[in-house]
Amino acid sequence: MAIPGRQSAAAAESRAAVGRDALLAPPPPKVSRRVLLRVASVACGVQFGWALQLSLLTPYVQELGIPHQFASLVWLCGPLSGLLVQPFVGHMSDRCASSLGRRRPFIIGGALSIAFSVLLIGYSADIGRILGDRGGGETRYGAISVYLVGFWLLDVGNNTTQGPCRALLADLTGDAEKSGFEESPGKDHRRTRVANAYFSLFMALGNILGFATGSFSHWYSIFPFNVTSACSINCANLKSAFLLDVVLLLMTTCISVSSAKEIPLSSANKVMTSVEDSTAQSDNGHEAFLWELFGSCRYLTLPVWMVLIATALTWLGWFPFTLFDTDWMGREIYKGDPDEGQMYQTGVRMGAIGLMLNSIVLGFTSVVLEKLCRKFGAGLIWGISNIIMFFCFLAMLIISSLAKNIDYPPNGLPPSGLVIAALVIFTILGAPLSVTYTIPYAMISARIEPLGLGQGLSMGILNLAIVVPQMVVSVGSGPLDQLFGGSNSPAFAVGAIAAFASGLVAIVGLPPQSITIRATTAVRRGQR
């Protein structure tokens, strides 16, 4: 592996030559904001499906027969695909010489993968019946197998689509960081921030639409053909929601890729790499891959390590909530069971409403976050948000205890006070979630730049701090919960402790400083 900051003379001379040619060329015309808005619209379709995945799939796998203690293992594919697929796709899209351009082939391929995967997930029960599943409360191994294939493809598609789309926005705004030149002819940082703000806006819109769709319980009456002998009303609702996702995703993908006018990568441009590995590449140009990511850790300074530690602890806190939020509402607040009656599904739909409110607060917080960080310092804001997260998880544990020890009315519905309290917690958590999606990326970018590692490589290193804790939670949370009686409280307790520890690290280990929060950060839920 090449030592960061050192490059061969031939590679440096080639980059300098390409840079001189680009500087002599006439500046490209600016892309209008309307075009940027249309290009960013694909985020709505992608995030719509991701919201359905977060709100509905943990309950669904339990309906298929996967025990609660093993449900979290299904989510291992999220961090694994983020760890392996994302660096590879970023590396390949920088060098793609397709006539469609560098980014659009991956956006199209990722969208098609998402569409195919959600159809597999939605129709897994029907396909399982064809493969020999009997139903009647038995574990449906055929449906589970089809579901797992679809789930893995869904995460691969998400990672394949979102990264190239953000890179395409940077290409269209001519950001110097993405072009690889110190002074790019089309350089405009403000327009880059605007473009990525559009991307974040569409992600928030997709979340809201997805969680609202997941909370509606009568899709089966609108699409009655989805109710089959193998697919009950709950399954038909999920299938219908995913069909809507396919329609929205294909529409937004067509709008996005038809609006962008990419110039195919020429053979001369292949010499030049983007920021993903321009300052840290070796002669063979593979600096973005996994083994180089681990090897680069030896060059990190203490401030960078503090950001990584705080990030890892933060996601160790978030992932139990991401896995079991709607399951917690259905199982512990509504005291339902995935295989018995509708009480559990009522709780799941109420949890989806809570996540919709969470997304609304997330969007509003993102608007004011930069001003808050300029005034109080990013480290302090990050620390306070994680302390808020700690108190929210603690409140969830208290609510679980109250729900367990009080008698419900004869209709079986929980007291309205408990439901309102749970929805308030879901809503408040939108603010610290916005911080999690933004500040770590800005801080790692600012602290790693002097090391000469390159921004793409820095995002890969930060990704390690995100996916490793998620793997730990995926493997350990289900058995831990089962060890203490099958509830979600033990996992939430671990999350609360991790959130408090990450808050202390952020406040003490990251001194207050004004960091401009740029909207170029990727929103990662479960990759996540």
Side-chain angles (χ1 to χ4, degrees), residues 362-405:
L362 187 154
F364 279 112
T365 305
S366 299
V367 174
V368 301
L369 190 56
E370 181 174 357
K371 294 182 180 179
L372 291 175
C373 290
R374 285 179 174 176
K375 184 174 182 179
F376 300 106
L380 182 61
I381 295 298
W382 189 3
I384 291 176
S385 74
N386 284 0
I387 298 299
I388 293 174
M389 183 168 66
F390 160 73
F391 282 114
C392 287
F393 290 161
L394 187 63
M396 292 178 73
L397 294 175
I398 295 173
I399 291 175
S400 295
S401 179
L402 290 175
K404 185 178 180 180
N405 293 288

Side-chain angles (χ1 to χ4, degrees), residues 125-129 140 227-232 235:
D126 298 295
I127 299 174
R129 176 62 61 89
R140 291 181 271 182
V227 180
T228 64
S229 59
C231 188
S232 63
C235 170

Side-chain angles (χ1 to χ4, degrees), residues 201-437:
L201 175 64
F202 277 112
M203 291 192 76
L205 179 60
N207 269 335
I208 294 170
L209 293 175
F211 291 133
T213 301
S215 66
F216 185 62
S217 60
H218 294 287
W219 289 117
Y220 71 93
S221 61
I222 300 176
F223 303 101
F225 58 86
N226 282 327
V227 180
T228 64
S229 59
C231 188
S232 63
I233 289 177
N234 296 325
C235 170
N237 283 329
L238 180 141
K239 189 191 302 182
S240 302
F242 276 132
L243 287 177
L244 294 174
D245 175 40
V246 171
V247 174
L248 180 61
L249 177 64
L250 294 180
M251 289 175 56
T252 55
T253 301
C254 290
I255 293 172
S256 179
V257 299
S258 63
S259 301
K261 304 300 181 185
E262 280 194 283
I263 300 175
L265 187 66
S266 67
S267 58
N269 287 335
K270 293 179 184 178
V271 179
M272 184 66 195
T273 60
S274 67
V275 69
E276 275 71 16
D277 54 5
S278 63
T279 59
Q281 77 165 17
S282 60
D283 290 337
N284 60 9
H286 289 271
E287 201 61 47
F289 286 103
L290 184 59
W291 48 90
E292 280 82 8
L293 294 182
F294 283 108
S296 297
C297 292
R298 74 184 73 172
Y299 304 107
L300 302 183
T301 61
L302 181 59
V304 175
W305 279 112
M306 297 305 293
V307 174
L308 296 178
I309 292 171
T311 300
L313 289 171
T314 298
W315 278 102
L316 194 61
W318 272 122
F319 208 52
F321 177 79
T322 301
L323 283 176
F324 299 120
D325 40 25
T326 55
D327 181 73
W328 173 76
M329 187 73 84
R331 186 182 296 273
E332 298 186 38
I333 304 303
Y334 279 78
K335 295 184 177 180
D337 188 278
D339 298 321
E340 297 178 7
Q342 289 297 310
M343 195 62 66
Y344 177 82
Q345 294 300 327
T346 302
V348 168
R349 289 191 294 271
M350 189 60 66
I353 292 175
L355 292 175
M356 180 183 66
L357 298 174
N358 176 284
S359 298
I360 294 173
V361 172
L362 187 154
F364 279 112
T365 305
S366 299
V367 174
V368 301
L369 190 56
E370 181 174 357
K371 294 182 180 179
L372 291 175
C373 290
R374 285 179 174 176
K375 184 174 182 179
F376 300 106
L380 182 61
I381 295 298
W382 189 3
I384 291 176
S385 74
N386 284 0
I387 298 299
I388 293 174
M389 183 168 66
F390 160 73
F391 282 114
C392 287
F393 290 161
L394 187 63
M396 292 178 73
L397 294 175
I398 295 173
I399 291 175
S400 295
S401 179
L402 290 175
K404 185 178 180 180
N405 293 288
I406 63 175
D407 294 327
Y408 282 15
N411 60 11
L413 293 174
S416 58
L418 283 181
V419 177
I420 292 174
L423 291 178
V424 168
I425 291 172
F426 275 50
T427 304
I428 293 174
L429 282 171
L433 190 59
S434 175
V435 172
T436 302
Y437 286 164

